[in-house]
Amino acid sequence: MPEPKRLFFALELPDDVQQQIIHWRAANFPPDCGRPIAAANLHLTLAFLGEVSAEKQRALAAMAGRIRQPGFTLDLNDAGQWLRSQVVWLGPRQPPRGVLQLANMLRSQAARSGCYQSPQPFHPHITLLRNTAHAVPIPAPGFSWQVPVSSFALFSSEYARGRTRYTRLERWALNE
């Protein structure tokens, strides 16, 4: 019987946007202020699923395949820090309705399938730095990346040899 996998639904970022964000982060945050997330791991989590069996993964994937929703554009124009979770993040100042609807659908389906969902309200964000033990200066407004979103994906998270690696398992298109 296969081992359960640690899974989540997320939005991917185009490679060029990942690289631009990495350069912006390097220019705006000192190297000692936290552990930077690798460019390939930058994503926006829609629903964290936790440890999931192969059977439950198939059911969640089938549910995701039934979602019918138009694509949208994400404007990454805000940043902040959550001191309690020691995270510096990047996200939209005004989240588009599309990302909120998609996350709500995925989170409610996940909950109905027995995957614990945090009671915290959904705050769309991309984690830039972890383990930020102290407050760090956040860059002034004026940065922005427009990301057209035409799909979402299911990822697995694996930790091996001191590194976390995210692997896309499936992807679903949003309606045009």
Side-chain angles (χ1 to χ4, degrees), residues 24 29 76-81 88-93 128 138-139 143:
W24 174 83
F29 296 96
L76 301 174
N77 60 356
D78 194 17
Q81 181 179 18
V88 170
W89 55 266
L90 176 68
R93 192 172 301 121
L128 298 177
I138 301 299
F143 53 88

Side-chain angles (χ1 to χ4, degrees), residues 113-150:
S113 296
C115 298
Y116 171 80
Q117 296 299 295
S118 169
Q120 297 291 333
F122 175 67
H123 185 275
H125 69 280
I126 296 156
T127 300
L128 298 177
L129 297 162
R130 291 194 187 283
N131 304 335
T132 56
H134 307 288
V136 299
I138 301 299
F143 53 88
S144 179
W145 291 271
Q146 299 283 318
V147 180
V149 177
S150 59

Side-chain angles (χ1 to χ4, degrees), residues 7-50:
L7 303 179
F8 60 94
F9 286 108
L11 299 179
E12 297 174 280
L13 297 176
D15 291 345
D16 63 324
V17 172
Q18 288 177 345
Q19 291 306 314
Q20 291 169 27
I21 291 171
I22 292 300
H23 291 299
W24 174 83
R25 178 182 66 195
N28 286 281
F29 296 96
D32 62 350
C33 72
R35 184 172 50 85
I37 304 302
N41 283 352
L42 294 177
H43 67 277
L44 190 150
T45 300
L46 297 165
F48 180 73
L49 305 172

Side-chain angles (χ1 to χ4, degrees), residues 80-93:
Q81 181 179 18
W82 291 320
L83 290 172
R84 188 181 320 178
S85 56
Q86 298 185 343
V87 162
V88 170
W89 55 266
L90 176 68
R93 192 172 301 121

